[in-house]
Amino acid sequence: MSSQSADPGDVYVKAGAVVFALGALATLITFVPLFLHLTPLPTAMYWLSMLMPAGFLAALTGLFLNARAQRRRLEPRQPARA
């Protein structure tokens, strides 16, 4: 286990990677029949391919959240002035 605390975007990055992988798999499955001149799959399979950019966006959001949290941790604390 790591002694560091989890950043707020870690869940987004992990979930985004899983969703991206599912979308990539759906894209491969969708386009194989087109290259082999078989019957094309239903439209729903093409919509499942949209998981790939959605996963990428979720992972990118998580990276931005982590960067913002890291920047806030590294900023020097300013004492309150009276």
Side-chain angles (χ1 to χ4, degrees):
M1 283 210 167
S2 175
S3 63
Q4 288 183 332
S5 63
D7 284 330
D10 285 347
V11 174
Y12 285 105
V13 173
K14 290 176 186 176
V18 170
V19 171
F20 182 87
L22 289 174
L25 182 64
T27 301
L28 288 174
I29 291 171
T30 302
F31 284 105
V32 165
L34 297 176
F35 291 128
L36 298 178
H37 303 292
L38 302 173
T39 305
L41 295 174
T43 306
M45 283 302 293
Y46 291 93
W47 283 103
L48 282 177
S49 298
M50 289 293 113
L51 289 175
M52 197 162 57
F56 181 76
L57 182 63
L60 191 62
T61 301
L63 289 176
F64 282 130
L65 287 174
N66 284 345
R68 193 170 82 180
Q70 183 178 6
R71 175 179 271 181
R72 286 184 179 171
R73 276 196 307 267
L74 294 177
E75 285 179 354
R77 302 280 183 209
Q78 297 293 332
R81 295 183 183 193

